[in-house]
Amino acid sequence: MTQQYILIETPVDGVGLIRLNRPEALNALNSDVINQISTAMEAFDADDTIGCIILTGSDRAFAAGADIKEMEQRSVVGMLTGDKLTDWTRIARISKPVIAAVSGWALGGGCELAMMCDMIVASESAMFGQPEINLGIMPGAGGTQRLTHAVGKAIAMEVMLGDRRLTAAEALHYGLVNRVYPVERYLDEAIKLAAKIATMPGVATRMIKAAVNKAYDLSLQQGLDYEKRNFYLLFGTEDKDEGMKAFIEKRPPQWKNR
Ligand code: DAK
């Protein structure tokens, strides 16, 4: 039987929390871990009672990277024919907002996993890095692209070529993370942020997430066209009618997420 490497919780209404639970390997991400995260995220994505998802690890490690002991067995043919990227890609395709709550090590695939999320709330002990070069390889789950977009070319090069680790304070300074809190508080603060997002109208949150992500893929004009299309589509939702009516009637809106 496959070992269960994650814990699933609903700490407050509207928030689905996935906790990596492989402490003996600092939450190293083997194929089963990634498959379990993807499956749990897709279940929350399909659950109408959930408006925001949190992915977290332990205070000591968010995740120390892909499982080196598993990768050591792999050949180029095995990597190519095994379609090893599929489960990782499932995580980046989640339509609801996802927050990574990161403490301790977020290295290699662990850093890439955090960057696949939409926001990062970090503890003061969080440490971000892409140390793959020490193993004779390079980032393979988005690090060269997402880190560069987040912190800029100069710092990204140093992180990946020179194995520079970024502290939480540095990550905040460079724009990789949203907020930093003492280790006793980072998860509670991530839950508070997620709970707030979960109270927002659900179709609009998905449309905003999709449009912001297009800023990475498209030219400015294409991105503006995509934004306008989503903006117009929201005029067909019950939430648009309710939101505007509630404003005019000076009362809080009752979202239907439709
Ligand atoms: N894989 C497997 N086991 C790991 C691990 C990892 N990445 N990181 C830590 N562990 C295990 C250790 O082997 C040790 O297990 P035992 O020896 O006790 O059995 C246990 O966790 C505790 O680790 P340490 O004893 O080393 O703990 P320390 O506090 O001394 O050091 C550390 C913590 C995080 C600095 C150190 O463990 C470390 O340097 N770990 C490796 C970090 C690393 O190099 N990460 C990058 C891996 S490469 C892709 C998808 C993903 C990727 C690529 C492609 N596709 C879909 C195409 C990603 C690649 C990577 O992430």
Side-chain angles (χ1 to χ4, degrees):
M1 204 178 91
T2 311
Q3 195 176 335
Q4 189 64 18
Y5 290 119
I6 59 168
L7 302 171
I8 296 170
E9 301 160 36
T10 310
V12 294
D13 278 356
V15 176
L17 188 146
I18 301 164
R19 192 189 293 267
L20 301 180
N21 185 32
R22 199 188 174 203
E24 69 283 2
L26 301 183
N27 291 331
L29 304 161
N30 65 23
S31 312
D32 288 334
V33 180
I34 288 296
N35 179 271
Q36 288 169 19
I37 297 170
S38 311
T39 303
M41 276 204 189
E42 285 168 355
F44 279 140
D45 211 23
D47 182 340
D48 289 341
T49 68
I50 297 298
C52 189
I53 302 165
I54 297 177
L55 179 62
T56 195
S58 67
D59 292 350
R60 184 177 173 206
F62 177 72
D67 190 320
I68 298 169
K69 292 164 193 167
E70 185 183 62
M71 277 191 299
E72 198 257 339
Q73 310 296 323
R74 295 252 160 85
S75 66
V76 65
V77 175
M79 291 302 279
L80 282 169
T81 55
D83 197 9
K84 294 298 168 206
L85 204 56
T86 310
D87 283 336
W88 290 78
T89 312
R90 286 165 61 198
I91 296 166
R93 280 205 299 259
I94 297 300
S95 69
K96 289 177 184 169
V98 183
I99 298 172
V102 176
S103 184
W105 301 112
L107 298 179
C111 186
E112 291 170 312
L113 182 61
M115 291 191 293
M116 282 178 195
C117 301
D118 304 307
M119 286 161 275
I120 301 178
V121 173
S123 87
E124 286 168 352
S125 74
M127 192 65 89
F128 299 86
Q130 298 285 166
E132 290 88 343
I133 194 150
N134 297 327
L135 303 167
I137 57 170
M138 62 179 281
T144 61
Q145 305 304 302
R146 290 196 177 95
L147 187 68
T148 307
H149 277 295
V151 305
K153 176 178 164 182
I155 302 299
M157 285 286 188
E158 206 180 326
V159 168
M160 287 180 261
L161 295 175
D163 185 19
R164 174 172 169 192
R165 313 270 164 104
L166 300 179
T167 63
E170 288 171 323
L172 183 67
H173 174 73
Y174 294 127
L176 178 62
V177 310
N178 294 64
R179 304 167 184 207
V180 177
Y181 296 101
V183 71
E184 314 75 48
R185 273 180 52 207
Y186 77 99
L187 186 55
D188 287 343
E189 295 292 343
I191 292 169
K192 268 191 228 164
L193 177 60
K196 182 171 183 201
I197 292 169
T199 64
M200 301 298 179
V203 185
T205 58
R206 290 178 190 216
M207 294 257 185
I208 290 168
K209 169 172 174 165
V212 171
N213 281 329
K214 287 290 177 196
Y216 289 104
D217 295 340
L218 303 177
S219 70
L220 177 60
Q221 193 52 55
Q222 289 169 319
L224 292 171
D225 290 343
Y226 184 87
E227 176 190 84
K228 197 159 44 169
R229 192 200 67 130
N230 279 8
F231 178 76
Y232 290 158
L233 281 174
L234 288 172
F235 278 66
T237 62
E238 291 180 31
D239 285 342
K240 172 261 167 188
D241 295 341
E242 167 64 6
M244 297 197 180
K245 210 165 159 217
F247 175 82
I248 291 163
E249 292 171 1
K250 299 188 188 298
R251 63 170 174 81
Q254 301 290 320
W255 304 125
K256 302 257 174 51
N257 297 326
R258 288 199 294 263

PDB file of all heavy atoms in Angstrom, residues 182-207:
ATOM      1  N   PRO A 182       6.997  35.572  12.699  1.00  0.00           N
ATOM      2  CA  PRO A 182       7.699  34.628  13.574  1.00  0.00           C
ATOM      3  C   PRO A 182       7.145  33.214  13.358  1.00  0.00           C
ATOM      4  O   PRO A 182       5.972  33.056  12.989  1.00  0.00           O
ATOM      5  CB  PRO A 182       7.372  35.119  14.987  1.00  0.00           C
ATOM      6  CG  PRO A 182       7.016  36.550  14.819  1.00  0.00           C
ATOM      7  CD  PRO A 182       6.400  36.678  13.454  1.00  0.00           C
ATOM      8  N   VAL A 183       7.996  32.232  13.617  1.00  0.00           N
ATOM      9  CA  VAL A 183       7.626  30.854  13.298  1.00  0.00           C
ATOM     10  C   VAL A 183       6.346  30.417  13.999  1.00  0.00           C
ATOM     11  O   VAL A 183       5.571  29.620  13.445  1.00  0.00           O
ATOM     12  CB  VAL A 183       8.832  29.905  13.576  1.00  0.00           C
ATOM     13  CG1 VAL A 183       9.083  29.751  15.053  1.00  0.00           C
ATOM     14  CG2 VAL A 183       8.652  28.565  12.904  1.00  0.00           C
ATOM     15  N   GLU A 184       6.090  30.961  15.196  1.00  0.00           N
ATOM     16  CA  GLU A 184       4.871  30.559  15.911  1.00  0.00           C
ATOM     17  C   GLU A 184       3.602  31.084  15.221  1.00  0.00           C
ATOM     18  O   GLU A 184       2.506  30.637  15.538  1.00  0.00           O
ATOM     19  CB  GLU A 184       4.837  31.113  17.355  1.00  0.00           C
ATOM     20  CG  GLU A 184       6.072  30.983  18.200  1.00  0.00           C
ATOM     21  CD  GLU A 184       7.159  31.970  17.814  1.00  0.00           C
ATOM     22  OE1 GLU A 184       6.881  33.163  17.656  1.00  0.00           O
ATOM     23  OE2 GLU A 184       8.312  31.499  17.661  1.00  0.00           O
ATOM     24  N   ARG A 185       3.761  32.053  14.310  1.00  0.00           N
ATOM     25  CA  ARG A 185       2.555  32.710  13.776  1.00  0.00           C
ATOM     26  C   ARG A 185       2.311  32.533  12.282  1.00  0.00           C
ATOM     27  O   ARG A 185       1.223  32.831  11.798  1.00  0.00           O
ATOM     28  CB  ARG A 185       2.669  34.213  14.047  1.00  0.00           C
ATOM     29  CG  ARG A 185       2.133  34.605  15.420  1.00  0.00           C
ATOM     30  CD  ARG A 185       2.254  36.099  15.647  1.00  0.00           C
ATOM     31  NE  ARG A 185       1.675  36.906  14.583  1.00  0.00           N
ATOM     32  CZ  ARG A 185       2.094  38.143  14.300  1.00  0.00           C
ATOM     33  NH1 ARG A 185       3.073  38.701  14.958  1.00  0.00           N
ATOM     34  NH2 ARG A 185       1.505  38.834  13.325  1.00  0.00           N
ATOM     35  N   TYR A 186       3.336  32.082  11.535  1.00  0.00           N
ATOM     36  CA  TYR A 186       3.193  32.151  10.070  1.00  0.00           C
ATOM     37  C   TYR A 186       2.001  31.357   9.545  1.00  0.00           C
ATOM     38  O   TYR A 186       1.300  31.807   8.639  1.00  0.00           O
ATOM     39  CB  TYR A 186       4.490  31.713   9.370  1.00  0.00           C
ATOM     40  CG  TYR A 186       4.712  30.216   9.349  1.00  0.00           C
ATOM     41  CD1 TYR A 186       4.398  29.465   8.223  1.00  0.00           C
ATOM     42  CD2 TYR A 186       5.200  29.552  10.470  1.00  0.00           C
ATOM     43  CE1 TYR A 186       4.565  28.092   8.220  1.00  0.00           C
ATOM     44  CE2 TYR A 186       5.374  28.184  10.468  1.00  0.00           C
ATOM     45  CZ  TYR A 186       5.057  27.458   9.342  1.00  0.00           C
ATOM     46  OH  TYR A 186       5.228  26.097   9.338  1.00  0.00           O
ATOM     47  N   LEU A 187       1.738  30.196  10.163  1.00  0.00           N
ATOM     48  CA  LEU A 187       0.637  29.374   9.646  1.00  0.00           C
ATOM     49  C   LEU A 187      -0.713  30.013   9.976  1.00  0.00           C
ATOM     50  O   LEU A 187      -1.611  30.068   9.123  1.00  0.00           O
ATOM     51  CB  LEU A 187       0.734  27.950  10.192  1.00  0.00           C
ATOM     52  CG  LEU A 187      -0.276  26.970   9.596  1.00  0.00           C
ATOM     53  CD1 LEU A 187      -0.196  26.927   8.070  1.00  0.00           C
ATOM     54  CD2 LEU A 187      -0.048  25.565  10.153  1.00  0.00           C
ATOM     55  N   ASP A 188      -0.845  30.530  11.200  1.00  0.00           N
ATOM     56  CA  ASP A 188      -2.098  31.207  11.565  1.00  0.00           C
ATOM     57  C   ASP A 188      -2.351  32.401  10.649  1.00  0.00           C
ATOM     58  O   ASP A 188      -3.486  32.662  10.234  1.00  0.00           O
ATOM     59  CB  ASP A 188      -2.040  31.712  13.015  1.00  0.00           C
ATOM     60  CG  ASP A 188      -2.154  30.560  14.008  1.00  0.00           C
ATOM     61  OD1 ASP A 188      -2.586  29.467  13.599  1.00  0.00           O
ATOM     62  OD2 ASP A 188      -1.801  30.763  15.187  1.00  0.00           O
ATOM     63  N   GLU A 189      -1.275  33.124  10.341  1.00  0.00           N
ATOM     64  CA  GLU A 189      -1.440  34.301   9.470  1.00  0.00           C
ATOM     65  C   GLU A 189      -1.804  33.866   8.050  1.00  0.00           C
ATOM     66  O   GLU A 189      -2.599  34.526   7.377  1.00  0.00           O
ATOM     67  CB  GLU A 189      -0.160  35.151   9.464  1.00  0.00           C
ATOM     68  CG  GLU A 189       0.171  35.771  10.820  1.00  0.00           C
ATOM     69  CD  GLU A 189      -0.824  36.850  11.261  1.00  0.00           C
ATOM     70  OE1 GLU A 189      -1.585  37.366  10.416  1.00  0.00           O
ATOM     71  OE2 GLU A 189      -0.844  37.180  12.466  1.00  0.00           O
ATOM     72  N   ALA A 190      -1.222  32.762   7.600  1.00  0.00           N
ATOM     73  CA  ALA A 190      -1.586  32.252   6.263  1.00  0.00           C
ATOM     74  C   ALA A 190      -3.055  31.838   6.247  1.00  0.00           C
ATOM     75  O   ALA A 190      -3.782  32.093   5.272  1.00  0.00           O
ATOM     76  CB  ALA A 190      -0.691  31.065   5.892  1.00  0.00           C
ATOM     77  N   ILE A 191      -3.501  31.236   7.342  1.00  0.00           N
ATOM     78  CA  ILE A 191      -4.902  30.810   7.422  1.00  0.00           C
ATOM     79  C   ILE A 191      -5.827  32.034   7.418  1.00  0.00           C
ATOM     80  O   ILE A 191      -6.853  32.052   6.746  1.00  0.00           O
ATOM     81  CB  ILE A 191      -5.138  29.917   8.666  1.00  0.00           C
ATOM     82  CG1 ILE A 191      -4.406  28.574   8.477  1.00  0.00           C
ATOM     83  CG2 ILE A 191      -6.621  29.680   8.916  1.00  0.00           C
ATOM     84  CD1 ILE A 191      -4.342  27.706   9.728  1.00  0.00           C
ATOM     85  N   LYS A 192      -5.410  33.096   8.151  1.00  0.00           N
ATOM     86  CA  LYS A 192      -6.220  34.325   8.152  1.00  0.00           C
ATOM     87  C   LYS A 192      -6.343  34.913   6.752  1.00  0.00           C
ATOM     88  O   LYS A 192      -7.415  35.323   6.317  1.00  0.00           O
ATOM     89  CB  LYS A 192      -5.559  35.383   9.058  1.00  0.00           C
ATOM     90  CG  LYS A 192      -6.033  35.378  10.483  1.00  0.00           C
ATOM     91  CD  LYS A 192      -5.513  36.642  11.197  1.00  0.00           C
ATOM     92  CE  LYS A 192      -4.896  36.275  12.519  1.00  0.00           C
ATOM     93  NZ  LYS A 192      -4.050  37.295  13.111  1.00  0.00           N
ATOM     94  N   LEU A 193      -5.209  34.955   6.049  1.00  0.00           N
ATOM     95  CA  LEU A 193      -5.217  35.493   4.682  1.00  0.00           C
ATOM     96  C   LEU A 193      -6.107  34.630   3.783  1.00  0.00           C
ATOM     97  O   LEU A 193      -6.929  35.147   3.009  1.00  0.00           O
ATOM     98  CB  LEU A 193      -3.779  35.545   4.141  1.00  0.00           C
ATOM     99  CG  LEU A 193      -3.596  36.002   2.697  1.00  0.00           C
ATOM    100  CD1 LEU A 193      -4.122  37.424   2.491  1.00  0.00           C
ATOM    101  CD2 LEU A 193      -2.117  35.929   2.285  1.00  0.00           C
ATOM    102  N   ALA A 194      -5.953  33.314   3.916  1.00  0.00           N
ATOM    103  CA  ALA A 194      -6.758  32.402   3.094  1.00  0.00           C
ATOM    104  C   ALA A 194      -8.237  32.551   3.419  1.00  0.00           C
ATOM    105  O   ALA A 194      -9.091  32.528   2.518  1.00  0.00           O
ATOM    106  CB  ALA A 194      -6.305  30.961   3.326  1.00  0.00           C
ATOM    107  N   ALA A 195      -8.554  32.712   4.724  1.00  0.00           N
ATOM    108  CA  ALA A 195      -9.958  32.838   5.120  1.00  0.00           C
ATOM    109  C   ALA A 195     -10.564  34.099   4.509  1.00  0.00           C
ATOM    110  O   ALA A 195     -11.716  34.096   4.071  1.00  0.00           O
ATOM    111  CB  ALA A 195     -10.071  32.874   6.642  1.00  0.00           C
ATOM    112  N   LYS A 196      -9.771  35.160   4.465  1.00  0.00           N
ATOM    113  CA  LYS A 196     -10.286  36.397   3.864  1.00  0.00           C
ATOM    114  C   LYS A 196     -10.546  36.189   2.362  1.00  0.00           C
ATOM    115  O   LYS A 196     -11.606  36.567   1.850  1.00  0.00           O
ATOM    116  CB  LYS A 196      -9.290  37.541   4.075  1.00  0.00           C
ATOM    117  CG  LYS A 196      -9.796  38.829   3.511  1.00  0.00           C
ATOM    118  CD  LYS A 196      -8.955  40.025   3.869  1.00  0.00           C
ATOM    119  CE  LYS A 196      -9.623  41.277   3.310  1.00  0.00           C
ATOM    120  NZ  LYS A 196      -8.700  42.387   3.164  1.00  0.00           N
ATOM    121  N   ILE A 197      -9.586  35.585   1.690  1.00  0.00           N
ATOM    122  CA  ILE A 197      -9.753  35.350   0.246  1.00  0.00           C
ATOM    123  C   ILE A 197     -10.958  34.434  -0.006  1.00  0.00           C
ATOM    124  O   ILE A 197     -11.706  34.612  -0.967  1.00  0.00           O
ATOM    125  CB  ILE A 197      -8.453  34.774  -0.350  1.00  0.00           C
ATOM    126  CG1 ILE A 197      -7.362  35.857  -0.313  1.00  0.00           C
ATOM    127  CG2 ILE A 197      -8.661  34.265  -1.775  1.00  0.00           C
ATOM    128  CD1 ILE A 197      -5.970  35.363  -0.622  1.00  0.00           C
ATOM    129  N   ALA A 198     -11.149  33.469   0.896  1.00  0.00           N
ATOM    130  CA  ALA A 198     -12.255  32.513   0.728  1.00  0.00           C
ATOM    131  C   ALA A 198     -13.621  33.183   0.848  1.00  0.00           C
ATOM    132  O   ALA A 198     -14.619  32.621   0.402  1.00  0.00           O
ATOM    133  CB  ALA A 198     -12.130  31.385   1.745  1.00  0.00           C
ATOM    134  N   THR A 199     -13.670  34.371   1.464  1.00  0.00           N
ATOM    135  CA  THR A 199     -14.970  35.061   1.562  1.00  0.00           C
ATOM    136  C   THR A 199     -15.284  35.873   0.300  1.00  0.00           C
ATOM    137  O   THR A 199     -16.358  36.452   0.193  1.00  0.00           O
ATOM    138  CB  THR A 199     -15.008  36.051   2.756  1.00  0.00           C
ATOM    139  OG1 THR A 199     -14.043  37.090   2.525  1.00  0.00           O
ATOM    140  CG2 THR A 199     -14.737  35.368   4.080  1.00  0.00           C
ATOM    141  N   MET A 200     -14.336  35.943  -0.621  1.00  0.00           N
ATOM    142  CA  MET A 200     -14.546  36.737  -1.845  1.00  0.00           C
ATOM    143  C   MET A 200     -15.374  35.932  -2.850  1.00  0.00           C
ATOM    144  O   MET A 200     -15.416  34.706  -2.774  1.00  0.00           O
ATOM    145  CB  MET A 200     -13.189  37.107  -2.461  1.00  0.00           C
ATOM    146  CG  MET A 200     -12.284  37.906  -1.548  1.00  0.00           C
ATOM    147  SD  MET A 200     -13.026  39.489  -1.126  1.00  0.00           S
ATOM    148  CE  MET A 200     -11.765  40.166  -0.044  1.00  0.00           C
ATOM    149  N   PRO A 201     -16.005  36.607  -3.810  1.00  0.00           N
ATOM    150  CA  PRO A 201     -16.806  35.875  -4.807  1.00  0.00           C
ATOM    151  C   PRO A 201     -15.922  34.941  -5.641  1.00  0.00           C
ATOM    152  O   PRO A 201     -14.940  35.378  -6.252  1.00  0.00           O
ATOM    153  CB  PRO A 201     -17.414  36.992  -5.657  1.00  0.00           C
ATOM    154  CG  PRO A 201     -16.597  38.207  -5.386  1.00  0.00           C
ATOM    155  CD  PRO A 201     -16.017  38.059  -4.022  1.00  0.00           C
ATOM    156  N   GLY A 202     -16.301  33.664  -5.649  1.00  0.00           N
ATOM    157  CA  GLY A 202     -15.412  32.618  -6.167  1.00  0.00           C
ATOM    158  C   GLY A 202     -15.121  32.671  -7.650  1.00  0.00           C
ATOM    159  O   GLY A 202     -14.011  32.342  -8.075  1.00  0.00           O
ATOM    160  N   VAL A 203     -16.088  33.113  -8.464  1.00  0.00           N
ATOM    161  CA  VAL A 203     -15.801  33.154  -9.910  1.00  0.00           C
ATOM    162  C   VAL A 203     -14.790  34.272 -10.181  1.00  0.00           C
ATOM    163  O   VAL A 203     -13.844  34.109 -10.959  1.00  0.00           O
ATOM    164  CB  VAL A 203     -17.095  33.374 -10.738  1.00  0.00           C
ATOM    165  CG1 VAL A 203     -16.780  33.282 -12.225  1.00  0.00           C
ATOM    166  CG2 VAL A 203     -18.151  32.345 -10.360  1.00  0.00           C
ATOM    167  N   ALA A 204     -14.969  35.408  -9.488  1.00  0.00           N
ATOM    168  CA  ALA A 204     -14.038  36.529  -9.687  1.00  0.00           C
ATOM    169  C   ALA A 204     -12.627  36.165  -9.226  1.00  0.00           C
ATOM    170  O   ALA A 204     -11.647  36.512  -9.900  1.00  0.00           O
ATOM    171  CB  ALA A 204     -14.540  37.767  -8.945  1.00  0.00           C
ATOM    172  N   THR A 205     -12.499  35.441  -8.107  1.00  0.00           N
ATOM    173  CA  THR A 205     -11.141  35.103  -7.651  1.00  0.00           C
ATOM    174  C   THR A 205     -10.435  34.231  -8.695  1.00  0.00           C
ATOM    175  O   THR A 205      -9.260  34.430  -8.986  1.00  0.00           O
ATOM    176  CB  THR A 205     -11.128  34.371  -6.283  1.00  0.00           C
ATOM    177  OG1 THR A 205     -11.903  33.194  -6.367  1.00  0.00           O
ATOM    178  CG2 THR A 205     -11.622  35.240  -5.166  1.00  0.00           C
ATOM    179  N   ARG A 206     -11.164  33.300  -9.278  1.00  0.00           N
ATOM    180  CA  ARG A 206     -10.540  32.441 -10.298  1.00  0.00           C
ATOM    181  C   ARG A 206     -10.148  33.235 -11.540  1.00  0.00           C
ATOM    182  O   ARG A 206      -9.103  33.013 -12.138  1.00  0.00           O
ATOM    183  CB  ARG A 206     -11.503  31.332 -10.720  1.00  0.00           C
ATOM    184  CG  ARG A 206     -11.718  30.295  -9.647  1.00  0.00           C
ATOM    185  CD  ARG A 206     -12.710  29.274 -10.143  1.00  0.00           C
ATOM    186  NE  ARG A 206     -13.132  28.403  -9.074  1.00  0.00           N
ATOM    187  CZ  ARG A 206     -13.397  27.113  -9.217  1.00  0.00           C
ATOM    188  NH1 ARG A 206     -13.295  26.545 -10.391  1.00  0.00           N
ATOM    189  NH2 ARG A 206     -13.774  26.390  -8.204  1.00  0.00           N
ATOM    190  N   MET A 207     -11.029  34.162 -11.920  1.00  0.00           N
ATOM    191  CA  MET A 207     -10.751  34.958 -13.135  1.00  0.00           C
ATOM    192  C   MET A 207      -9.549  35.876 -12.903  1.00  0.00           C
ATOM    193  O   MET A 207      -8.755  36.112 -13.799  1.00  0.00           O
ATOM    194  CB  MET A 207     -11.973  35.799 -13.490  1.00  0.00           C
ATOM    195  CG  MET A 207     -13.149  34.960 -13.909  1.00  0.00           C
ATOM    196  SD  MET A 207     -13.326  34.995 -15.678  1.00  0.00           S
ATOM    197  CE  MET A 207     -14.842  34.077 -15.869  1.00  0.00           C
TER     198      MET A 207
END
